[in-house]
Amino acid sequence: MIATASRPAEHPDAAIFACDSGHLPFAWVAALQIARLEPGRRFDVVIASPDCDQVPPHLVEGPVRWVTLDTSAIPQITHPNARITLGTFYRHLLPELLQHDYARLLYMDTDTWLRRPGIQGLFDRIEGDWPLAAALTFLHQPELRTRASRKNREQSRQVIRDLGGTKGRFFQSGVMVMQTGPHVAAEIGPRTLEFAATRFDLLKKHKLGDQAAMNGAAADLTVTLDPRWNWHLARWRQGDLVARFDPFILHFAGAEKPWLISDDPTATEVNAAWFADLARWDPDFRPQAAPHSQAWRAQNPRFGVPLLDALRSRLRSARLAWKHSRPPRMGPKGIAAMQRLVDAAEIR
């Protein structure tokens, strides 16, 4: 495997995104946010992709270092979720490919948004020789769930049993800190790819891709990252909870993305910034509505009768306003449980 870059590395650490051509614009917008919020940084901002030749020429120069990836090591599997490409596995190539450029990598998915500065401080505080740090997946922490059905509880237990390692922990792969030397020495990247190829039955069973493979291969080698670095479940992105916990990175995992017009108030707050930068990437960019959102429903009326469709829209708007105005549904116990995760995190 090889990697080529638009320019040499300038710093010992990097905040990095890895994606295929379809997500290059989104990675660039998220990378620009980092560059803007941390102007005095002593780390590079990097986007790694096999498709760097598709970057608009006028954007090659700037705060982002572009790295072209050789992705031939990715197993030829079909992702269990038809909407997701094998580009999600690119992150697991990064430590091996970039070990001579960087000692530490903060990897982020393209649907993340840095709320406040802190990445330089995160790098400055790192100690020890652990290979990988990630936040525990909120969905599989029973104390953080609300009104979980018996079926969902059993599904979570199965995920933990199959992929949680000896400690019964399942990590979210959307934001990770990788120390390249220990990561390469532990062969986490190759082991993750091998797990995907040889235990595809488990990926298919749980309808998960690289996240299942990473946990199956390396859950016991992973240390816990402060969940404020990967604030990733919609119910925890409610305004009151964001204000209370003050996360560094919002992760818009799910259907409501910051580059779409959606019903998520937190995504709506950052829409303008995303839309402005996406128009810099592509002057023909026009915001699109998230499927089944209010904006989408306005474009796709159900009845074709103006009065009925207007009534339906008003009722849904009222329901959404009520939904987003309610206090957090997890209650004091759930909030206390999240605080314990923050306090117990090994990497902060």
PDB file of all heavy atoms in Angstrom, residues 231-255:
ATOM      1  N   TRP A 231     -20.161  13.052  19.992  1.00  0.00           N
ATOM      2  CA  TRP A 231     -21.523  13.227  20.512  1.00  0.00           C
ATOM      3  C   TRP A 231     -22.478  12.806  19.403  1.00  0.00           C
ATOM      4  O   TRP A 231     -22.878  13.595  18.583  1.00  0.00           O
ATOM      5  CB  TRP A 231     -21.709  14.681  20.930  1.00  0.00           C
ATOM      6  CG  TRP A 231     -22.717  14.895  21.997  1.00  0.00           C
ATOM      7  CD1 TRP A 231     -23.937  15.484  21.858  1.00  0.00           C
ATOM      8  CD2 TRP A 231     -22.605  14.541  23.382  1.00  0.00           C
ATOM      9  NE1 TRP A 231     -24.591  15.523  23.071  1.00  0.00           N
ATOM     10  CE2 TRP A 231     -23.792  14.945  24.023  1.00  0.00           C
ATOM     11  CE3 TRP A 231     -21.608  13.910  24.139  1.00  0.00           C
ATOM     12  CZ2 TRP A 231     -24.007  14.753  25.381  1.00  0.00           C
ATOM     13  CZ3 TRP A 231     -21.820  13.709  25.487  1.00  0.00           C
ATOM     14  CH2 TRP A 231     -23.006  14.127  26.091  1.00  0.00           C
ATOM     15  N   HIS A 232     -22.897  11.537  19.390  1.00  0.00           N
ATOM     16  CA  HIS A 232     -23.339  10.931  18.138  1.00  0.00           C
ATOM     17  C   HIS A 232     -24.767  10.399  18.075  1.00  0.00           C
ATOM     18  O   HIS A 232     -25.137   9.843  17.046  1.00  0.00           O
ATOM     19  CB  HIS A 232     -22.390   9.785  17.778  1.00  0.00           C
ATOM     20  CG  HIS A 232     -22.350   8.672  18.790  1.00  0.00           C
ATOM     21  ND1 HIS A 232     -21.412   8.624  19.790  1.00  0.00           N
ATOM     22  CD2 HIS A 232     -23.115   7.571  18.948  1.00  0.00           C
ATOM     23  CE1 HIS A 232     -21.603   7.542  20.521  1.00  0.00           C
ATOM     24  NE2 HIS A 232     -22.634   6.885  20.034  1.00  0.00           N
ATOM     25  N   LEU A 233     -25.571  10.520  19.065  1.00  0.00           N
ATOM     26  CA  LEU A 233     -26.926   9.989  18.986  1.00  0.00           C
ATOM     27  C   LEU A 233     -27.915  11.146  19.000  1.00  0.00           C
ATOM     28  O   LEU A 233     -27.779  12.078  19.791  1.00  0.00           O
ATOM     29  CB  LEU A 233     -27.191   9.036  20.155  1.00  0.00           C
ATOM     30  CG  LEU A 233     -28.317   8.010  19.977  1.00  0.00           C
ATOM     31  CD1 LEU A 233     -28.035   7.080  18.808  1.00  0.00           C
ATOM     32  CD2 LEU A 233     -28.491   7.201  21.259  1.00  0.00           C
ATOM     33  N   ALA A 234     -28.938  11.087  18.136  1.00  0.00           N
ATOM     34  CA  ALA A 234     -29.827  12.233  17.939  1.00  0.00           C
ATOM     35  C   ALA A 234     -30.428  12.732  19.250  1.00  0.00           C
ATOM     36  O   ALA A 234     -30.509  13.950  19.480  1.00  0.00           O
ATOM     37  CB  ALA A 234     -30.932  11.884  16.939  1.00  0.00           C
ATOM     38  N   ARG A 235     -30.853  11.820  20.118  1.00  0.00           N
ATOM     39  CA  ARG A 235     -31.514  12.276  21.340  1.00  0.00           C
ATOM     40  C   ARG A 235     -30.540  13.038  22.253  1.00  0.00           C
ATOM     41  O   ARG A 235     -30.954  13.855  23.058  1.00  0.00           O
ATOM     42  CB  ARG A 235     -32.145  11.105  22.097  1.00  0.00           C
ATOM     43  CG  ARG A 235     -31.165  10.090  22.669  1.00  0.00           C
ATOM     44  CD  ARG A 235     -31.898   9.029  23.491  1.00  0.00           C
ATOM     45  NE  ARG A 235     -32.766   8.230  22.676  1.00  0.00           N
ATOM     46  CZ  ARG A 235     -32.462   7.027  22.196  1.00  0.00           C
ATOM     47  NH1 ARG A 235     -31.267   6.512  22.437  1.00  0.00           N
ATOM     48  NH2 ARG A 235     -33.308   6.343  21.480  1.00  0.00           N
ATOM     49  N   TRP A 236     -29.234  12.764  22.104  1.00  0.00           N
ATOM     50  CA  TRP A 236     -28.245  13.480  22.906  1.00  0.00           C
ATOM     51  C   TRP A 236     -27.810  14.779  22.250  1.00  0.00           C
ATOM     52  O   TRP A 236     -27.086  15.571  22.857  1.00  0.00           O
ATOM     53  CB  TRP A 236     -27.040  12.580  23.178  1.00  0.00           C
ATOM     54  CG  TRP A 236     -27.360  11.524  24.187  1.00  0.00           C
ATOM     55  CD1 TRP A 236     -27.768  10.253  23.945  1.00  0.00           C
ATOM     56  CD2 TRP A 236     -27.336  11.665  25.604  1.00  0.00           C
ATOM     57  NE1 TRP A 236     -28.001   9.590  25.116  1.00  0.00           N
ATOM     58  CE2 TRP A 236     -27.737  10.433  26.158  1.00  0.00           C
ATOM     59  CE3 TRP A 236     -27.005  12.707  26.468  1.00  0.00           C
ATOM     60  CZ2 TRP A 236     -27.824  10.224  27.536  1.00  0.00           C
ATOM     61  CZ3 TRP A 236     -27.082  12.505  27.831  1.00  0.00           C
ATOM     62  CH2 TRP A 236     -27.481  11.270  28.358  1.00  0.00           C
ATOM     63  N   ARG A 237     -28.262  15.007  21.013  1.00  0.00           N
ATOM     64  CA  ARG A 237     -27.957  16.282  20.344  1.00  0.00           C
ATOM     65  C   ARG A 237     -29.017  17.342  20.636  1.00  0.00           C
ATOM     66  O   ARG A 237     -28.994  18.418  20.037  1.00  0.00           O
ATOM     67  CB  ARG A 237     -27.832  16.084  18.830  1.00  0.00           C
ATOM     68  CG  ARG A 237     -26.587  15.325  18.391  1.00  0.00           C
ATOM     69  CD  ARG A 237     -26.262  15.585  16.933  1.00  0.00           C
ATOM     70  NE  ARG A 237     -27.380  15.332  16.053  1.00  0.00           N
ATOM     71  CZ  ARG A 237     -27.618  14.191  15.426  1.00  0.00           C
ATOM     72  NH1 ARG A 237     -26.792  13.163  15.604  1.00  0.00           N
ATOM     73  NH2 ARG A 237     -28.670  14.047  14.631  1.00  0.00           N
ATOM     74  N   GLN A 238     -29.957  17.057  21.522  1.00  0.00           N
ATOM     75  CA  GLN A 238     -30.925  18.076  21.933  1.00  0.00           C
ATOM     76  C   GLN A 238     -30.194  19.253  22.574  1.00  0.00           C
ATOM     77  O   GLN A 238     -29.178  19.076  23.247  1.00  0.00           O
ATOM     78  CB  GLN A 238     -31.924  17.490  22.929  1.00  0.00           C
ATOM     79  CG  GLN A 238     -32.817  16.407  22.331  1.00  0.00           C
ATOM     80  CD  GLN A 238     -33.798  15.870  23.350  1.00  0.00           C
ATOM     81  OE1 GLN A 238     -34.404  16.628  24.090  1.00  0.00           O
ATOM     82  NE2 GLN A 238     -33.955  14.570  23.391  1.00  0.00           N
ATOM     83  N   GLY A 239     -30.751  20.454  22.355  1.00  0.00           N
ATOM     84  CA  GLY A 239     -30.070  21.659  22.791  1.00  0.00           C
ATOM     85  C   GLY A 239     -29.688  21.684  24.249  1.00  0.00           C
ATOM     86  O   GLY A 239     -28.582  22.090  24.613  1.00  0.00           O
ATOM     87  N   ASP A 240     -30.587  21.255  25.143  1.00  0.00           N
ATOM     88  CA  ASP A 240     -30.303  21.297  26.571  1.00  0.00           C
ATOM     89  C   ASP A 240     -29.121  20.398  26.930  1.00  0.00           C
ATOM     90  O   ASP A 240     -28.294  20.746  27.780  1.00  0.00           O
ATOM     91  CB  ASP A 240     -31.541  20.860  27.372  1.00  0.00           C
ATOM     92  CG  ASP A 240     -32.654  21.889  27.323  1.00  0.00           C
ATOM     93  OD1 ASP A 240     -32.393  23.025  26.868  1.00  0.00           O
ATOM     94  OD2 ASP A 240     -33.789  21.559  27.723  1.00  0.00           O
ATOM     95  N   LEU A 241     -29.057  19.240  26.293  1.00  0.00           N
ATOM     96  CA  LEU A 241     -27.980  18.305  26.596  1.00  0.00           C
ATOM     97  C   LEU A 241     -26.653  18.778  26.012  1.00  0.00           C
ATOM     98  O   LEU A 241     -25.595  18.589  26.619  1.00  0.00           O
ATOM     99  CB  LEU A 241     -28.333  16.910  26.081  1.00  0.00           C
ATOM    100  CG  LEU A 241     -29.498  16.242  26.814  1.00  0.00           C
ATOM    101  CD1 LEU A 241     -29.912  14.960  26.120  1.00  0.00           C
ATOM    102  CD2 LEU A 241     -29.105  15.956  28.263  1.00  0.00           C
ATOM    103  N   VAL A 242     -26.706  19.374  24.826  1.00  0.00           N
ATOM    104  CA  VAL A 242     -25.486  19.940  24.248  1.00  0.00           C
ATOM    105  C   VAL A 242     -24.963  21.059  25.139  1.00  0.00           C
ATOM    106  O   VAL A 242     -23.764  21.159  25.409  1.00  0.00           O
ATOM    107  CB  VAL A 242     -25.747  20.441  22.813  1.00  0.00           C
ATOM    108  CG1 VAL A 242     -24.563  21.245  22.294  1.00  0.00           C
ATOM    109  CG2 VAL A 242     -26.034  19.266  21.883  1.00  0.00           C
ATOM    110  N   ALA A 243     -25.871  21.906  25.636  1.00  0.00           N
ATOM    111  CA  ALA A 243     -25.460  22.994  26.524  1.00  0.00           C
ATOM    112  C   ALA A 243     -24.884  22.448  27.829  1.00  0.00           C
ATOM    113  O   ALA A 243     -23.904  22.968  28.370  1.00  0.00           O
ATOM    114  CB  ALA A 243     -26.650  23.903  26.808  1.00  0.00           C
ATOM    115  N   ARG A 244     -25.476  21.376  28.350  1.00  0.00           N
ATOM    116  CA  ARG A 244     -25.028  20.815  29.634  1.00  0.00           C
ATOM    117  C   ARG A 244     -23.647  20.190  29.522  1.00  0.00           C
ATOM    118  O   ARG A 244     -22.770  20.432  30.362  1.00  0.00           O
ATOM    119  CB  ARG A 244     -26.038  19.774  30.125  1.00  0.00           C
ATOM    120  CG  ARG A 244     -25.600  19.035  31.391  1.00  0.00           C
ATOM    121  CD  ARG A 244     -26.561  17.912  31.715  1.00  0.00           C
ATOM    122  NE  ARG A 244     -27.833  18.400  32.208  1.00  0.00           N
ATOM    123  CZ  ARG A 244     -28.132  18.569  33.491  1.00  0.00           C
ATOM    124  NH1 ARG A 244     -27.233  18.282  34.422  1.00  0.00           N
ATOM    125  NH2 ARG A 244     -29.321  19.002  33.858  1.00  0.00           N
ATOM    126  N   PHE A 245     -23.434  19.367  28.473  1.00  0.00           N
ATOM    127  CA  PHE A 245     -22.188  18.608  28.369  1.00  0.00           C
ATOM    128  C   PHE A 245     -21.126  19.312  27.522  1.00  0.00           C
ATOM    129  O   PHE A 245     -19.952  18.948  27.591  1.00  0.00           O
ATOM    130  CB  PHE A 245     -22.476  17.215  27.815  1.00  0.00           C
ATOM    131  CG  PHE A 245     -23.123  16.300  28.811  1.00  0.00           C
ATOM    132  CD1 PHE A 245     -24.501  16.138  28.821  1.00  0.00           C
ATOM    133  CD2 PHE A 245     -22.370  15.632  29.765  1.00  0.00           C
ATOM    134  CE1 PHE A 245     -25.117  15.306  29.747  1.00  0.00           C
ATOM    135  CE2 PHE A 245     -22.975  14.797  30.695  1.00  0.00           C
ATOM    136  CZ  PHE A 245     -24.349  14.641  30.690  1.00  0.00           C
ATOM    137  N   ASP A 246     -21.531  20.271  26.702  1.00  0.00           N
ATOM    138  CA  ASP A 246     -20.593  21.089  25.920  1.00  0.00           C
ATOM    139  C   ASP A 246     -19.623  20.218  25.109  1.00  0.00           C
ATOM    140  O   ASP A 246     -18.397  20.343  25.245  1.00  0.00           O
ATOM    141  CB  ASP A 246     -19.823  22.018  26.856  1.00  0.00           C
ATOM    142  CG  ASP A 246     -19.144  23.160  26.116  1.00  0.00           C
ATOM    143  OD1 ASP A 246     -19.547  23.454  24.969  1.00  0.00           O
ATOM    144  OD2 ASP A 246     -18.189  23.742  26.673  1.00  0.00           O
ATOM    145  N   PRO A 247     -20.125  19.323  24.259  1.00  0.00           N
ATOM    146  CA  PRO A 247     -19.231  18.443  23.504  1.00  0.00           C
ATOM    147  C   PRO A 247     -18.340  19.206  22.536  1.00  0.00           C
ATOM    148  O   PRO A 247     -18.676  20.302  22.089  1.00  0.00           O
ATOM    149  CB  PRO A 247     -20.201  17.522  22.759  1.00  0.00           C
ATOM    150  CG  PRO A 247     -21.478  18.289  22.668  1.00  0.00           C
ATOM    151  CD  PRO A 247     -21.548  19.095  23.930  1.00  0.00           C
ATOM    152  N   PHE A 248     -17.205  18.594  22.217  1.00  0.00           N
ATOM    153  CA  PHE A 248     -16.305  19.174  21.225  1.00  0.00           C
ATOM    154  C   PHE A 248     -16.827  18.914  19.803  1.00  0.00           C
ATOM    155  O   PHE A 248     -16.883  19.824  18.983  1.00  0.00           O
ATOM    156  CB  PHE A 248     -14.905  18.562  21.359  1.00  0.00           C
ATOM    157  CG  PHE A 248     -14.203  18.929  22.616  1.00  0.00           C
ATOM    158  CD1 PHE A 248     -14.243  18.084  23.724  1.00  0.00           C
ATOM    159  CD2 PHE A 248     -13.486  20.111  22.718  1.00  0.00           C
ATOM    160  CE1 PHE A 248     -13.593  18.410  24.900  1.00  0.00           C
ATOM    161  CE2 PHE A 248     -12.824  20.448  23.886  1.00  0.00           C
ATOM    162  CZ  PHE A 248     -12.875  19.595  24.985  1.00  0.00           C
ATOM    163  N   ILE A 249     -17.190  17.654  19.527  1.00  0.00           N
ATOM    164  CA  ILE A 249     -17.566  17.267  18.172  1.00  0.00           C
ATOM    165  C   ILE A 249     -18.994  16.733  18.158  1.00  0.00           C
ATOM    166  O   ILE A 249     -19.333  15.802  18.912  1.00  0.00           O
ATOM    167  CB  ILE A 249     -16.613  16.194  17.614  1.00  0.00           C
ATOM    168  CG1 ILE A 249     -15.212  16.791  17.393  1.00  0.00           C
ATOM    169  CG2 ILE A 249     -17.137  15.607  16.307  1.00  0.00           C
ATOM    170  CD1 ILE A 249     -14.181  15.778  16.922  1.00  0.00           C
ATOM    171  N   LEU A 250     -19.817  17.313  17.314  1.00  0.00           N
ATOM    172  CA  LEU A 250     -21.144  16.778  17.034  1.00  0.00           C
ATOM    173  C   LEU A 250     -21.019  15.812  15.859  1.00  0.00           C
ATOM    174  O   LEU A 250     -20.440  16.158  14.826  1.00  0.00           O
ATOM    175  CB  LEU A 250     -22.120  17.899  16.668  1.00  0.00           C
ATOM    176  CG  LEU A 250     -22.394  18.951  17.732  1.00  0.00           C
ATOM    177  CD1 LEU A 250     -23.298  20.038  17.161  1.00  0.00           C
ATOM    178  CD2 LEU A 250     -23.017  18.330  18.973  1.00  0.00           C
ATOM    179  N   HIS A 251     -21.560  14.619  16.027  1.00  0.00           N
ATOM    180  CA  HIS A 251     -21.507  13.606  14.976  1.00  0.00           C
ATOM    181  C   HIS A 251     -22.943  13.326  14.534  1.00  0.00           C
ATOM    182  O   HIS A 251     -23.733  12.775  15.296  1.00  0.00           O
ATOM    183  CB  HIS A 251     -20.846  12.342  15.517  1.00  0.00           C
ATOM    184  CG  HIS A 251     -20.719  11.251  14.514  1.00  0.00           C
ATOM    185  ND1 HIS A 251     -20.310   9.977  14.848  1.00  0.00           N
ATOM    186  CD2 HIS A 251     -20.924  11.226  13.166  1.00  0.00           C
ATOM    187  CE1 HIS A 251     -20.288   9.219  13.762  1.00  0.00           C
ATOM    188  NE2 HIS A 251     -20.665   9.963  12.736  1.00  0.00           N
ATOM    189  N   PHE A 252     -23.252  13.708  13.298  1.00  0.00           N
ATOM    190  CA  PHE A 252     -24.611  13.569  12.797  1.00  0.00           C
ATOM    191  C   PHE A 252     -24.807  12.189  12.165  1.00  0.00           C
ATOM    192  O   PHE A 252     -25.130  12.069  10.977  1.00  0.00           O
ATOM    193  CB  PHE A 252     -24.908  14.693  11.799  1.00  0.00           C
ATOM    194  CG  PHE A 252     -24.956  16.048  12.441  1.00  0.00           C
ATOM    195  CD1 PHE A 252     -23.811  16.834  12.529  1.00  0.00           C
ATOM    196  CD2 PHE A 252     -26.132  16.530  12.990  1.00  0.00           C
ATOM    197  CE1 PHE A 252     -23.844  18.074  13.131  1.00  0.00           C
ATOM    198  CE2 PHE A 252     -26.177  17.776  13.604  1.00  0.00           C
ATOM    199  CZ  PHE A 252     -25.027  18.550  13.676  1.00  0.00           C
ATOM    200  N   ALA A 253     -24.577  11.156  12.967  1.00  0.00           N
ATOM    201  CA  ALA A 253     -24.834   9.793  12.512  1.00  0.00           C
ATOM    202  C   ALA A 253     -26.332   9.612  12.322  1.00  0.00           C
ATOM    203  O   ALA A 253     -27.129  10.065  13.145  1.00  0.00           O
ATOM    204  CB  ALA A 253     -24.302   8.791  13.535  1.00  0.00           C
ATOM    205  N   GLY A 254     -26.728   8.983  11.233  1.00  0.00           N
ATOM    206  CA  GLY A 254     -28.143   8.821  10.939  1.00  0.00           C
ATOM    207  C   GLY A 254     -28.527   9.572   9.683  1.00  0.00           C
ATOM    208  O   GLY A 254     -27.678  10.007   8.895  1.00  0.00           O
ATOM    209  N   ALA A 255     -29.813   9.770   9.486  1.00  0.00           N
ATOM    210  CA  ALA A 255     -30.311  10.329   8.223  1.00  0.00           C
ATOM    211  C   ALA A 255     -30.230  11.844   8.157  1.00  0.00           C
ATOM    212  O   ALA A 255     -30.217  12.423   7.070  1.00  0.00           O
ATOM    213  CB  ALA A 255     -31.754   9.885   7.992  1.00  0.00           C
TER     214      ALA A 255
END
